[in-house]
Amino acid sequence: MRLTKHGQYLSSSIHYSLDFELSKAQKNLSNQLVSHYQNHRNCLVLAVCGSGKTEIVFEVIRYALSIGHRVCFCIPRRELVQELYQRVKSSFQDISIGLVYGGHIENLDAQFVICTMHQLYRFENDIGFDLMIADEVDAFPFYGNGVLQEIFDRCCLGQYIKLSATLMHEDIHGEEVLIMNRRYHGFDLPIPRMIIAPDSLQKYVLKYLLHRLAHKKVLIYVPTVACVNQLVSDFNTSHRIQGVSSKHKENQKTIQALKNGQLDAIVTTTLLERGVTIEDVQVIVYHGQHSIFDQRTLIQIAGRVGRKPNHPTGKVYVLTSERTKSILQCIKTIKKLNRMSV
């Protein structure tokens, strides 16, 4: 045992375990992150949806902790923080991990802390972190929030790693960019199929698609809560269907019901654009011309499909009244990532 610079006793060896083996691409990127940290270089990681980006940072976390450095893993939303904590805790079983989000403070002084972006204010300046890992940096409320980004910078006393599935040129500010364009199972990302139809006809096209996707789990993304309620009302006599949004209660129970095969489909707002994995799910975007479906959002939505090795492919349909720039850019970006060498 030895004493860290934070006054905590630390085992001379930190270990973690995974219930799967990292792919060659994952191992390569994991090693690069350690090398960059050793050389005091900040990193941006473009890791496509379903590539296993959480696990690729485990080795650099292990390295930083083993030399007595303090580590923070932060993510925008509370629900994702809780899930992340469980995943990390099951792998790093022999160390104390702090967990901080709105209304919950656990092991605030731990050498390794997992928290929401909003809770970073507790660690500014002198009690900050040597290594900060930020996941979903392209998501609300962190993206475009100058105050949260300033707090992040003040908490970072050493280096940072920012993870994103939708990294754009405007997000790069001199950092090293590392790319993992392949999912861990090696299959291409699903390319959305655009279906042009007037608003008045999209409901009929949706009905047809649901018939074609019978016996499959389906996520239907819509632009508003009112649209969620309307479609559930229109289809609940012919399909086992429920809605999910920030206004709906028991969202997690609804998601679990779809996973268990107790529902045919969920109609959802962009609340479920990220952070949800449902095996063998298919996706339909309804009124895809709406401004809420920007390029980043559409890439995340398409990324819900084909995430598991048992079902690595699937369908993504975008029903739209026009060929929007966002839809076209989404398709172009996904095709480009699929063409890139691993």
Side-chain angles (χ1 to χ4, degrees):
M1 301 288 284
R2 57 190 174 86
L3 192 67
T4 73
K5 66 180 181 180
H6 301 289
Q8 297 171 306
Y9 282 101
L10 177 67
S11 170
S12 58
S13 181
I14 300 291
H15 299 284
Y16 65 89
S17 61
L18 296 173
D19 56 8
F20 65 94
E21 184 177 356
L22 294 181
S23 68
K24 182 179 179 180
Q26 287 175 312
K27 290 178 181 177
N28 181 54
L29 202 150
S30 175
N31 292 334
Q32 288 185 69
L33 290 176
V34 174
S35 176
H36 282 57
Y37 186 65
Q38 291 171 332
N39 289 284
H40 312 290
R41 295 162 70 181
N42 295 322
C43 293
L44 298 180
V45 177
L46 170 59
V48 299
C49 296
S51 61
K53 65 181 184 294
T54 300
E55 286 75 17
I56 65 170
V57 300
F58 280 10
E59 183 60 25
V60 71
I61 291 172
R62 184 208 64 77
Y63 172 79
L65 293 174
S66 70
I67 60 174
H69 287 183
R70 196 166 192 228
V71 178
C72 176
F73 201 145
C74 56
I75 198 166
R77 288 193 285 149
R78 168 178 172 168
E79 296 81 3
L80 299 185
V81 165
Q82 294 168 323
E83 179 185 341
L84 174 64
Y85 174 76
Q86 293 301 326
R87 289 172 67 183
V88 174
K89 188 178 180 181
S90 67
S91 295
F92 289 85
Q93 297 181 354
D94 298 325
I95 62 172
S96 174
I97 303 175
L99 176 63
V100 187
Y101 55 84
H104 183 95
I105 299 176
E106 179 181 341
N107 296 330
L108 190 65
D109 297 324
Q111 187 188 2
F112 183 14
V113 173
I114 296 174
C115 68
T116 56
M117 304 294 196
H118 277 113
Q119 295 298 316
L120 286 174
Y121 77 91
R122 299 179 183 276
F123 307 101
E124 291 183 74
N125 303 319
D126 58 324
I127 58 169
F129 299 92
D130 303 284
L131 171 62
M132 292 193 68
I133 301 169
D135 198 2
E136 307 283 14
V137 294
D138 54 334
F140 175 86
F142 186 74
Y143 186 76
N145 189 318
V147 173
L148 286 181
Q149 292 184 20
E150 286 183 17
I151 293 174
F152 179 92
D153 292 339
R154 288 197 293 270
C155 288
C156 186
L157 305 181
Q159 272 63 56
Y160 62 75
I161 298 169
K162 293 181 178 180
L163 307 169
S164 171
T166 56
L167 189 65
M168 308 293 177
H169 287 295
E170 58 266 28
D171 302 324
I172 304 170
H173 304 286
E175 305 95 338
E176 184 81 12
V177 179
L178 304 177
I179 298 175
M180 187 160 64
N181 66 303
R182 268 288 185 270
R183 290 175 159 180
Y184 67 93
H185 52 53
F187 283 75
D188 282 354
L189 298 166
I191 299 173
R193 177 184 172 186
M194 182 167 45
I195 300 177
I196 307 295
D199 283 357
S200 59
L201 296 181
Q202 285 189 31
K203 193 175 295 183
Y204 299 100
V205 179
L206 176 60
K207 182 178 180 179
Y208 168 74
L209 291 177
L210 287 175
H211 175 72
R212 284 194 61 182
L213 297 173
H215 311 301
K216 294 282 189 178
K217 304 179 183 74
V218 181
L219 287 173
I220 305 167
Y221 287 87
V222 300
T224 65
V225 176
C227 197
V228 172
N229 296 331
Q230 184 62 58
L231 286 185
V232 169
S233 175
D234 290 341
F235 286 94
N236 65 6
T237 57
S238 56
H239 296 80
R240 298 176 301 169
I241 191 168
Q242 290 186 21
V244 165
S245 77
S246 59
K247 303 298 184 182
H248 284 71
K249 298 180 179 179
E250 300 184 334
N251 287 335
Q252 290 304 314
K253 288 183 66 175
T254 301
I255 295 168
Q256 192 59 49
L258 182 64
K259 290 181 178 181
N260 294 343
Q262 298 166 321
L263 292 176
D264 301 316
I266 287 176
V267 184
T268 177
T269 61
T270 55
L271 182 70
L272 298 188
E273 73 174 70
R274 62 183 74 220
V276 59
T277 297
I278 300 171
E279 190 165 13
D280 199 23
V281 77
Q282 318 298 304
V283 158
I284 302 171
V285 179
Y286 184 73
H287 290 334
Q289 73 277 1
H290 195 283
S291 60
I292 198 169
F293 295 122
D294 59 20
Q295 180 184 351
R296 293 179 191 266
T297 299
L298 289 170
I299 289 174
Q300 287 286 352
I301 288 172
R304 299 310 97 203
V305 173
R307 297 173 69 89
K308 292 292 188 177
N310 290 338
H311 300 280
T313 62
K315 302 295 185 182
V316 180
Y317 297 102
V318 181
L319 307 186
T320 178
S321 61
E322 59 181 290
R323 300 174 182 268
T324 69
K325 180 180 179 181
S326 294
I327 299 171
L328 295 174
Q329 282 297 118
C330 166
I331 295 171
K332 180 180 179 181
T333 299
I334 292 175
K335 287 182 176 179
K336 180 180 178 180
L337 288 168
N338 285 340
R339 288 195 303 266
M340 292 173 61
S341 60
V342 180

